[in-house]
């Protein structure tokens, strides 16, 4: 019980970084590292400080009475699990992480990955927009600290993903022409503060990805995280696809299916014992 109310023990730490095919190609290495950082670091931190946790679609365990009290799930939201996590928090209940492992196939094909990622981003946007319809009510139910955490985990990452191409274009303009054109748009103080934030922010994100790999014993993937900005560029492509679908009434609630079973890795069982050893080819 939590403050006299039922605690929803609704989150298995499905450490999907231990996917069955993290070594298939460049895409799956970054996919696995991203999951490692998200489930082993970010969600663990949210759990520690009792902040709202957006649920994922694997290894969720709900109390039946709590789920019925929530009215089930939103059938129009394409990430209904993430929405449930926020609604649980708004009720004043808790979502807790369990020390458990669920294997999931890392997406190994670019088109398939774009479809899956655009659906996730569209669902996060849907969840963020729905829960901010009445911002004062949201603040009263979550409190200041948890409301800020909600915006930082659900809304801000997507907005940054959408804004990234513009900042990359400005960086390219600066590298090609110097400060002549860029300073016309930004005062020197904001220009150099922004450049410092870009360098430090990218370094910290790469560091977090590396830390996630170390946490999940994906040692051979650590050095590959230096190319993670290319992965973020793909995320921007998926984000714009999600935004365009969200703006089209006929595609707003469309669920793009992800094809699974694309890779069969004989060494998957061994990866659970030794995360640093890649399965032999042959």
């Amino acid at each position: 019980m939590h403050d006299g109310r039922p605690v929803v023990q609704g989150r298995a730490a499905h450490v999907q970084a231990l996917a069955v095919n993290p070594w298939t190609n460049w895409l799956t290495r970054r996919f696995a590292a991203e999951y490692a950082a998200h489930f082993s670091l970010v969600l663990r931190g949210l759990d520690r400080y009792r902040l709202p946790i957006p649920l994922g679609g694997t290894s969720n365990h709900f109390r039946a009475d709590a789920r019925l009290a929530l009215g089930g799930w939103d059938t129009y939201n394409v990430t209904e699990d993430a929405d449930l996590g926020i609604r649980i928090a708004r009720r004043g209940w808790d979502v807790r992480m369990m020390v458990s492992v669920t294997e999931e196939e890392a997406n190994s094909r670019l088109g398939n990955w774009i479809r899956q990622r655009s659906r996730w981003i569209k669902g996060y946007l849907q969840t963020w927009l729905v829960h901010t319809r009445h911002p004062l009510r949201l603040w009263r139910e979550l409190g200041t600290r948890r409301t800020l955490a909600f915006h930082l985990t659900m809304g801000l990452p997507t907005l940054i993903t959408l804004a990234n191409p513009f900042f990359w274009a400005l960086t390219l303009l600066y590298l090609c022409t110097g400060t002549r054109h860029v300073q016309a748009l930004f005062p020197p103080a904001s220009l150099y503060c922004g450049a410092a934030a870009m360098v430090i922010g990218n370094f910290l994100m790469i560091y977090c990805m590396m830390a996630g790999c170390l946490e999940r014993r994906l040692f051979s993937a650590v050095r590959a995280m230096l190319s993670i900005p290319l992965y973020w560029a793909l995320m921007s492509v998926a984000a714009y696809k999600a935004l365009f679908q969200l703006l089209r009434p006929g595609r707003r609630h469309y669920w793009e299916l992800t094809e699974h079973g694309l890779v069969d890795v004989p060494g998957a069982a061994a990866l659970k014992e030794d995360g640093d050893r890649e399965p032999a080819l042959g």
Side-chain angles (χ1 to χ4, degrees):
M1 302 289 290
H2 176 65
D3 293 336
R5 292 166 291 190
V7 173
V8 182
Q9 300 285 357
R11 191 66 164 122
H14 45 291
V15 186
Q16 295 173 358
L18 284 178
V20 297
N21 60 320
W23 314 114
T24 300
N25 55 30
W26 178 87
L27 193 61
T28 61
R29 285 174 184 261
R30 277 125 200 97
F31 195 104
E34 180 190 7
Y35 272 26
H38 183 67
F39 289 103
S40 296
L41 301 179
V42 176
L43 295 189
R44 185 184 296 176
L46 295 177
D47 173 54
R48 178 176 180 178
Y49 293 102
R50 299 295 188 268
L51 298 174
I53 295 179
L55 300 178
T58 308
S59 294
N60 292 311
H61 304 275
F62 295 93
R63 283 183 50 163
D65 59 340
R67 192 172 66 173
L68 288 174
L70 290 170
W73 54 82
D74 184 356
T75 56
Y76 294 98
N77 192 318
V78 296
T79 55
E80 77 293 338
D81 38 20
D83 173 71
L84 272 175
I86 306 306
R87 283 198 278 145
I88 288 170
R90 294 186 69 168
R91 284 292 189 102
W93 301 339
D94 284 334
V95 171
R96 303 304 306 275
M97 301 288 291
M98 293 195 307
V99 181
S100 178
V101 171
T102 298
E103 294 178 347
E104 181 172 320
E105 178 186 357
N107 216 316
S108 59
R109 294 182 184 174
L110 181 58
N112 206 38
W113 183 91
I114 292 289
R115 288 193 296 274
Q116 183 184 58
R117 186 53 56 106
S118 65
R119 177 176 63 82
W120 291 352
I121 294 173
K122 182 169 65 174
Y124 266 49
L125 281 172
Q126 289 173 330
T127 302
W128 185 54
L129 292 171
V130 165
H131 287 279
T132 52
R133 284 174 177 168
H134 305 286
L136 290 179
R137 184 190 303 172
L138 177 72
W139 173 70
R140 286 196 299 267
E141 292 176 350
L142 290 180
T144 301
R145 188 170 64 99
R146 302 178 90 191
T147 299
L148 288 174
F150 164 72
H151 290 302
L152 290 174
T153 54
M154 297 297 297
L156 186 62
T158 300
L159 296 179
I160 291 175
T161 304
L162 292 169
N164 272 340
F166 297 101
F167 292 111
W168 294 333
L170 288 173
T171 302
L172 182 62
L173 179 65
Y174 171 78
L175 293 175
C176 294
T177 65
T179 60
R180 184 173 69 257
H181 299 293
V182 177
Q183 279 188 342
L185 301 173
F186 301 98
S190 62
L191 173 63
Y192 292 112
C193 287
M198 181 189 70
V199 173
I200 295 171
N202 277 271
F203 170 79
L204 290 176
M205 287 301 299
I206 292 172
Y207 174 80
C208 287
M209 291 292 185
M210 290 180 172
C213 290
L214 292 173
E215 179 71 18
R216 292 295 98 207
R217 297 178 57 82
L218 300 172
F219 301 130
S220 297
V222 172
R223 61 182 180 272
M225 293 305 103
L226 294 175
S227 63
I228 202 71
L230 298 176
Y231 188 75
W232 297 334
L234 293 178
M235 290 182 68
S236 290
V237 173
Y240 274 98
K241 180 180 180 182
L243 179 62
F244 293 150
Q245 287 190 349
L246 193 63
L247 295 175
R248 293 178 57 191
R251 306 287 286 183
R252 188 167 296 160
H253 308 295
Y254 176 66
W255 186 295
E256 288 193 284
L257 296 178
T258 304
E259 186 178 357
H260 294 285
L262 301 176
V263 178
D264 181 20
V265 181
L271 283 174
K272 290 190 291 185
E273 302 296 331
D274 183 3
D276 188 40
R277 183 165 62 86
E278 300 185 19
L281 301 177

